[in-house]
Amino acid sequence: MILNYKFENFMSFRENVEFSMLAPKSKVKNRFPNNYVTSKTGVDLLKTAVIVGENAGGKSNFVRSLSYLQSFFAGTESPQSYRNAINTNKLQDFCPKKHDSLQSFNIEICINQNTLYLYHLVVDYVGIVKETFHFKNHVKNKYKKIFSMERSKYEVECIEENDCTNSRRCQTRSKVDYLLDIQECESEIKKFLEKAANRETTIGLMITKLAMLGNEHALAFTNWLKNDLCPETNMINYDLYKSMKNEEDDLRILHDARYLDIFQMIDSSIIAVQIDEEKPFSKTTVVRKKKNGGTFTRELAQDSSGVREFFAWAVQIFRVVYENKTVFADEMDRVLNPVLSDRVISFICGKKHYGQFIFTTHNVLHLDLKNYMKEQIYFITKNTETLDSELYSLADFPEIRYETTKIYEFYMKGILGGTAIE
């Protein structure tokens, strides 16, 4: 589960972005006992959060930042900043040496209810600038360092003999040195890692090297980030996206009886699904029961867009509730009515689990302090002059009280930001 997530200089976000899933320390959380869970580490974590904002405000970019961080863990090559992922206001020139490519990511998580991890990564166009990893077993304890690695010096040589005139011709060769401080590590392994960090070239993540060498903390963290963090951006219809990926693990969930309980939330007349093994997100048959007792079937591809998309999103809801995944869903309720959206959130909060569901939306009816704590509601707005995005919480508005009704009216009037009319 995520406690805190921070990043800087990613796409439309220029300044530091802070997102938290910590439940408030005040007594107000007692009004919402199902909205959070207490881990063995003594920390109270929110199960759900909603992010509201205008079109092209940056909601999808926020979710993509997690996919971007996750991509660094996919291979062994050195992570680095890419031009199309840097805030446009920091791109002074096509030459990477002449623009600000420094990007930072900071994520704090709880794994298996009993260990807290804090991971910090800074990269630029050369590669890793800084990487640190800490852990502790209780929220009241101080974090213990597992390792820190920081670039001490580097040299960049342009391969082009003459000044290149466009980014496609820009090629560089780097020589890099790092200072590595690793705790509680066998001497032979430590020598190997120090040698890897000082071979005068860019290197991959140190945490993935530790994981490959069997470090239990590095293994736990990398496994969580690669497998339990699920940032889902809705670039196309989500059912089409899932159909193209055609993951074997989705089939396992679709065949689970508990999945049907989730899918039935969209239509109570649905009594069964006949899963197509080859094309489950298009050729599966949905079975409905009429009031007179008769049944009729329809292929999923011929059903409504809402049914098709919820059939796909229900897989992720299953993962949250029954597999303790942390899912970031971009516009999950794009084609769902507000009643179903509320039903989904109530279902997630009503079950005991250690998963999290964070979703972006245009639906202002989620701005409701009867179902959410202020800490569960976030806004994203875009500066009309600089086109920079900003993320902030409803908790940042102390004048908004729980007795206040119709929060969405404040939002629509531009009082809370996050609208195109501000």
Side-chain angles (χ1 to χ4, degrees), residues 318-362:
F318 181 98
R319 290 192 168 109
V320 170
V321 173
Y322 298 115
E323 298 180 349
N324 298 325
K325 308 287 187 182
T326 295
V327 173
F328 284 78
D330 189 21
E331 295 188 25
M332 179 272 297
D333 58 352
R334 183 176 63 87
V335 293
L336 307 182
N337 67 57
V339 174
L340 177 58
S341 298
D342 285 346
R343 196 177 297 156
V344 168
I345 299 304
S346 296
F347 176 81
I348 293 172
C349 289
K351 295 284 187 179
K352 183 169 182 179
H353 58 86
Y354 294 92
Q356 292 172 308
F357 189 74
I358 301 99
F359 68 105
T360 70
T361 185
H362 294 290

Side-chain angles (χ1 to χ4, degrees), residues 109 111-112 114-117 133-135 137 146-147 182-186 189 207-224:
I109 66 173
I111 296 181
N112 298 328
N114 52 24
T115 309
L116 300 173
Y117 291 108
F133 186 42
H134 297 75
F135 85 101
N137 294 320
I146 297 175
F147 77 86
I182 185 167
Q183 306 291 312
E184 300 180 6
C185 183
E186 295 181 12
I189 293 178
I207 192 170
T208 57
K209 289 180 173 59
L210 273 178
M212 287 188 289
L213 292 170
N215 181 279
E216 61 173 324
H217 295 303
L219 271 171
F221 181 87
T222 55
N223 284 338
W224 181 91

Side-chain angles (χ1 to χ4, degrees), residues 166-216:
N166 62 68
S167 58
R168 292 184 180 178
R169 294 180 59 189
C170 183
Q171 297 183 49
T172 61
R173 183 185 297 113
S174 304
K175 293 181 179 180
V176 186
D177 285 336
Y178 288 95
L179 295 175
L180 176 64
D181 179 11
I182 185 167
Q183 306 291 312
E184 300 180 6
C185 183
E186 295 181 12
S187 58
E188 290 301 316
I189 293 178
K190 189 172 183 178
K191 287 179 182 179
F192 167 78
L193 294 173
E194 287 175 342
K195 184 177 180 180
N198 289 282
R199 58 182 184 174
E200 295 192 343
T201 185
T202 56
I203 63 173
L205 295 175
M206 183 57 60
I207 192 170
T208 57
K209 289 180 173 59
L210 273 178
M212 287 188 289
L213 292 170
N215 181 279
E216 61 173 324

